[in-house]
Structures are given as structure tokens and as C-alpha cells.
Amino acid sequence: MCWFREGLLDKNPLKLFFFSRHIRCLIIFSLCLGLTCLSGFFHVKNKNYSISKSHEELLNPPMPCHAKTNVMFLKTHKTASSTVLNIMFRFAERYNLTVALPADQLFHLGYPRTFLAHFVEGFEAIGQNYNIMCNHLRFNPLEVKKVMAANTFYFSILRNPIPLLESSYIYYKNNVPAFRSSKNVNEFLASPTKYYHPADYRESIYARNIMWFDFGYDNNAKDDTKYTQAVLEEIEQNFHLILIADYFDESMILLKHALCWDLDDVIYFKLNSRSQDTVQTLTPESEEQIKAWCSLDWKLYLHFNQSFWRRIEETIGLEVLEKEVDHLRTRQKELMETCLSEQEAVRKDHIRNKALLPFQSGAANILGYNLKQDLDNRTLRTCQKMVMPELQYTSYLYTVQHPHKKRKELGLPLLWTSLQEK
């Protein structure tokens, strides 16, 4: 240790030499000690507060996603798809997008015929410049790609075949010979081959494997493992996402994330639903029979139900999903309180504005909505779009996009007497 007291040193040069050496020793030692302490400090700080990002991530932070505006939705039957169509139409209007609408007086894209590009109004002139496609069609990927851009996002929706077949039975009771000639759904399912004839092509598709048919495949095909597996793989290649109607709110959150849309883009009021008194109770035997009778749809549903939940776990996580579903339902409730006089759907004979009356089919009583009377113009238009039935909305968009074409006839009053009032 180097030290001295005042007056201890005299003018002896040798002593001065050794003193100066001791001073240099003290300075060098202090500098080394200080550098060591600083090095240790930064080492501890870096260890305890390290950022868990790679060098590349720090230099190139993840880019925010951008809303996808080229979207094709395969609208399947009796799967809450009318509600999804309404979401798609409202999104198209919000961003001034072009919708591939059915040509002439049709409300579907050639269904049940396999889709062809010329089924779309204006295809010859507009070509591949459509943003949204979502009306009913029987999927044909090569023809759809003629209409939609190369970067189009493809998705569809499935439903458990058990409640789906019961819903089809009621909705198409008057159109399907197999349904029309049986007393109820349980009688039909007790011996379906007694009533069902595959030769009745257009009428019979709703009675067996309707989802399989909508995806473009033979709904009367033999349930062969190799065949079904090939079809499932092909659907996975053609579609980026398959939603599940039985978990509709969860599906909307997953769709929101996949498309990078806002929450309000997927807010909905349930459309084309029917009154509960038209629901027929299936026996346990009938439920098991549906799994066998519609075995292709059953395999389709089971496969994509698994991939649906796997996708959620890999991209969102169940905890975040639950929170976002709560947000969606809260926002939905707010809009229902703003828009609706009864806060719920009402039977067809209770709908005051007949322009908002949904299409009625079979033995079903399709519900609709009554809007509040004192809404300002902007709120009124927003609410009208949310409750507008499928046929009315299709007709309206057709008139907006093709003003020089003859309006699609509905036989109902019009919501707007001119385009300037939209």
C-alpha cells in the first residue's frame, strides 16, 4: 500500500523517485480496479436485462400485417354462411371493393352446376380484377382462379352434419323429394334409401353429404379411405382456412387474425336463422344414422374440426382467444342495443319493414330484425347493412356495381329508392 504523511518527505532525490513510483502505482491500480468494476456492472446488467430477440429481429422488426382485400369465401349450405356473406359484403363496401356477383337475375353463381367464370356478372370485361367472391357456388378451383387474383385468400366453413341434416330437412322440405315424401326427419333417417334417389340430381343433393358436394365432389361417392384422404388433402391445398360454424365466435376471431381485419369487420347479427319451434328433435338412432348416411361430410367435419383448434393453438392461443371472443360479444351487444328495437331476432310475421324480410323456405320460419325508429341517417345505414338478408344485399350491390343492368327482382319493397340514398 502506498501512503505518506505531510512533512514526512524531504528534498532527497532518491526518496522523491520512489515516491513518484508509488504515486504511479496507485493511479494505475485505481484505473484497473475501476475498469474491472465497470466491466462487471455491464456484465450483470446484460445478464439480468437481456432482450430475447435475435440480432436479425432487432435490425428487422416484424412488419405489421395488412388487411387482406382479395378474399374468396366458399359459401356452404346451412352452415351460418349467410352471416359470413353479410360480413364479406359489408367489408367490401367499407373498402370500396369489387364483388364477383351472379350474372343477370340469379342470386347464386350457377349452383348446383359446377362453377364457371362466366357465371360472374361482367367477367368478360372485368376479368381477374374482383376482390371478393362469396355467393353460393359449387367449387371449381381452375375456374375460380380465372376470376380471383393470384394472392387471393380462400376460406370456407363447415358444420356438424348431425344438426346440419336436420336443418336441411326443414329448410328444403318442399324441394327435396326424399324429404317431401317422408313425414319427419327421423322417419327419413330410419330408411333413407327408401326415399332418396341419386338420379334426382338437383333435388337430392341437400339430403346427403351436401358439404362434400359444395366443395365440388360427388356426394354419392363410395366412402373409400384412400379417396376421402385424397379429397381432404386437396381441400387443404385449395383453402387457407376452414372455419367451424358450431364455434362461430371463435371462428370470427380466427378469421380476423388470418385476414388482419379489425374487430368491427367481423361483428355480426345472426342471419337466416329459424325459430326454435321448427326444430325437430333427432333420436339417438337418427344421430348415429347421419354419421353413416353422410359419412363423407362426417369425415370432412372431423378432420377440419381438429385442424381448426390446432390452428388456434398455434396462432392465437386459447387464453387470447377467450378474451377476444368476450370483446366480440360485448361489441355485438352494444350494436344490438343501438340498432334493434327488440334486441333479438323476431318471427317473419313480426318484421315491420318488409324490405328486411328474409327469404322463407320449406317448413322453416326464418327470423329477421326490427330496427329502432329514431336512428340518425348514418347509424341507420350501418344497422340496415347488418340486418340485411342475403338476397336483398346481393341485389343492392349488383345495382351499385352494375347500374346499367336490370335490377335483380325480389318482389319486395326497396330499402333505397336511389343509389344517392345509400
Side-chain angles (χ1 to χ4, degrees), residues 1-3 17-27:
M1 179 178 178
C2 300
W3 59 275
F17 171 76
F18 282 110
F19 174 70
S20 63
R21 282 188 62 188
H22 288 174
I23 290 297
R24 287 197 300 271
C25 170
L26 180 61
I27 292 171

Side-chain angles (χ1 to χ4, degrees), residues 162-365:
I162 295 174
L164 185 150
L165 190 130
E166 185 276 333
S167 178
S168 292
Y169 185 92
I170 300 301
Y171 195 83
Y172 298 110
K173 175 69 174 173
N174 298 335
N175 304 104
V176 178
F179 293 161
R180 196 166 52 236
S181 55
S182 55
K183 287 192 300 184
N184 56 55
V185 66
N186 289 305
E187 181 180 270
F188 167 72
L189 288 166
S191 182
T193 54
K194 176 182 176 182
Y195 305 100
Y196 179 86
H197 304 291
D200 297 332
Y201 168 65
R202 297 196 175 196
E203 293 82 6
S204 296
I205 53 177
Y206 303 104
R208 189 180 195 190
N209 294 314
I210 181 60
M211 294 187 295
W212 198 266
F213 183 87
D214 287 347
F215 274 87
Y217 303 100
D218 181 5
N219 62 317
N220 293 305
K222 183 180 179 181
D223 186 355
D224 174 80
T225 302
K226 186 176 180 181
Y227 164 71
T228 55
Q229 187 58 38
V231 168
L232 295 176
E233 291 175 1
E234 190 169 73
I235 292 173
E236 285 182 336
Q237 292 171 2
N238 288 329
F239 290 85
H240 298 94
L241 179 65
I242 303 293
L243 304 177
I244 301 297
D246 310 81
Y247 306 99
F248 194 81
D249 288 346
E250 292 82 356
S251 290
M252 291 304 98
I253 297 303
L254 186 56
L255 182 67
K256 177 180 81 75
H257 280 266
L259 297 178
C260 197
W261 286 7
D262 296 330
L263 182 65
D264 272 7
D265 292 329
V266 296
I267 293 293
Y268 68 93
F269 294 160
K270 190 175 182 181
L271 298 177
N272 209 37
S273 61
R274 59 190 164 119
S275 58
Q276 281 299 115
D277 59 357
T278 65
V279 177
Q280 294 186 7
T281 302
L282 293 165
T283 65
E285 293 78 15
S286 291
E287 292 187 356
E288 290 303 312
Q289 177 70 304
I290 291 173
K291 295 178 186 179
W293 174 245
C294 297
S295 61
L296 299 175
D297 270 4
W298 183 246
K299 286 188 175 181
L300 183 67
Y301 174 76
L302 291 180
H303 178 86
F304 284 103
N305 184 51
Q306 288 183 343
S307 68
F308 172 80
W309 290 106
R310 187 166 59 248
R311 178 79 168 261
I312 285 175
E313 290 174 355
E314 292 173 352
T315 59
I316 305 175
L318 294 175
E319 187 175 343
V320 172
L321 175 72
E322 184 178 359
K323 291 179 181 178
E324 294 205 29
V325 165
D326 286 341
H327 291 327
L328 183 145
R329 290 172 179 168
T330 299
R331 179 66 177 136
Q332 182 188 55
K333 185 178 179 182
E334 290 173 356
L335 283 170
M336 293 185 84
E337 290 172 351
T338 298
C339 294
L340 307 180
S341 58
E342 286 92 355
Q343 308 297 299
E344 62 181 4
V346 299
R347 294 173 63 92
K348 61 182 179 182
D349 49 335
H350 292 159
I351 298 172
R352 291 191 294 269
N353 185 349
K354 297 309 177 186
L356 295 175
L357 180 70
F359 177 74
Q360 303 295 317
S361 177
N365 187 319

Side-chain angles (χ1 to χ4, degrees), residues 399-416:
T399 303
V400 171
Q401 288 189 187
H402 308 285
H404 303 298
K405 296 278 186 177
K406 182 183 177 182
R407 182 191 294 268
K408 292 182 186 289
E409 299 296 336
L410 284 172
L412 292 169
L414 299 177
L415 276 174
W416 299 283

